[in-house]
Amino acid sequence: MTATKVLVSDKLSPAGLAILEAAPGVTVDYRPGLSEEALIAAIGDYDALVIRSGSRVTARVIDSGPRLRVIGRAGIGVDNIDVSAAARRGIVVMNTPTGNAVTTAEHALSLLLSLARMIPQANASLRRGKWEKNRFEGREISGKALGVIGLGNVGRVVAERAQGLKLRVLGFDPALTAEGARNLGVELVSLEQLFVRSDFITLHTPLTPQTRHLLNREAFAKMKPGVLIVNAARGGIVHEADLEAALREGKVGG
């Protein structure tokens, strides 16, 4: 029987590689860092492709792989894969939607605490030989309102953990039912209500035409002065020029 050939074109942990290499009838080539042109040149020899966020699997890459049957993304999103081109070829596209949900949620909450307590600024000040504890007093998060935009795999974990920190959690997700929100202990609100009522806002949505620049000048204008924003999802969800202006004006606190 001919072995199934798998190309891994992004960095993968040794544990992940070991699972692939232990699979019967599978041979694995580990070649992280391939450019699009290099991927096009190589892909014709492989039945499966495993990537993370570095490789861009364009239509050109897909059309250059006559044997290709499976593309696996070791991550949440598939925005670096031309899913339509893969579908036209009958290629299965898979991801790991819950693989790093806890890690990402913990990271988001770490960023929030770091912002609220001004830890990076205080650390930088101390390294300059200063002791400015009154300047970096920060603020408590207990009892404040956290707005979670997107209550999927990551947002749900954020909401659950945030309640342990005594935050009141407001949530916006068009796909979540009122019952589902109650089970999470989340108050389901409109996006405008979330902007108006939240002391802190954290983003956990995919980047789509509907979510691109979801946080823009109009959105910032509705928020509380000094609101703290965490984006542990995709950069394009926030309009960066509008965010810079809001930071300079003090409308956004960090």
Side-chain angles (χ1 to χ4, degrees):
M1 186 176 74
T2 305
T4 299
K5 294 189 68 176
V6 178
L7 173 62
V8 180
S9 62
D10 283 325
K11 289 184 178 180
L12 201 65
S13 74
L17 282 173
I19 292 170
L20 289 172
E21 290 167 346
V26 173
T27 60
V28 179
D29 286 340
Y30 183 49
R31 300 173 61 185
L34 292 180
S35 66
E36 181 181 354
E37 295 303 322
L39 198 51
I40 287 169
I43 198 63
D45 295 331
Y46 295 93
D47 304 286
L49 174 64
V50 176
I51 64 167
R52 292 186 68 194
S53 58
S55 295
R56 298 205 63 80
V57 187
T58 62
R60 292 178 63 218
V61 172
I62 290 167
D63 291 341
S64 300
R67 293 174 49 179
L68 197 58
R69 295 292 175 266
V70 177
I71 301 169
R73 162 80 196 273
I76 293 177
V78 291
D79 45 322
N80 55 333
I81 302 170
D82 191 326
V83 177
S84 297
R88 287 194 296 270
R89 285 273 317 281
I91 296 169
V92 176
V93 176
M94 299 183 293
N95 64 342
T96 53
T98 62
N100 59 351
V102 171
T103 296
T104 305
E106 289 181 353
H107 181 60
L109 289 169
S110 298
L111 291 172
L112 175 59
L113 288 165
S114 186
L115 270 178
R117 306 309 306 192
M118 305 175 76
I119 291 171
Q121 299 93 323
N123 178 64
S125 172
L126 188 63
R127 287 175 177 273
R128 291 194 299 267
K130 299 180 180 181
W131 181 247
E132 302 176 291
K133 66 176 185 177
N134 292 332
R135 181 183 173 195
F136 301 116
E137 184 176 342
R139 60 179 108 165
E140 291 184 354
I141 67 169
S142 178
K144 304 294 196 312
L146 173 67
V148 181
I149 301 177
L151 287 156
N153 292 313
V154 177
R156 288 167 184 259
V157 180
V158 169
E160 291 168 355
R161 303 294 195 274
Q163 291 170 69
L165 294 170
K166 305 302 181 184
L167 282 155
R168 293 180 289 108
V169 183
L170 312 176
F172 172 77
D173 190 321
L176 186 66
T177 65
E179 183 181 1
R182 282 195 298 272
N183 291 338
L184 284 171
V186 171
E187 182 183 350
L188 201 60
V189 297
S190 69
L191 190 59
E192 182 166 352
Q193 285 179 320
L194 186 144
F195 290 154
V196 170
R197 294 173 55 190
S198 297
D199 299 291
F200 319 121
I201 294 173
T202 182
L203 301 171
H204 302 288
T205 71
L207 180 60
T208 67
Q210 291 73 37
T211 63
R212 181 175 292 279
H213 295 165
L214 187 68
L215 266 57
N216 53 27
R217 181 175 295 277
E218 292 74 22
F220 296 134
K222 297 173 183 176
M223 296 177 191
K224 293 182 179 181
V227 63
L228 301 182
I229 296 171
V230 172
N231 182 6
R234 294 288 187 264
I237 299 169
V238 180
H239 192 294
E240 292 182 359
D242 289 356
L243 173 61
E244 181 182 12
L247 284 163
R248 291 184 184 280
E249 295 162 4
K251 183 66 174 182
V252 174

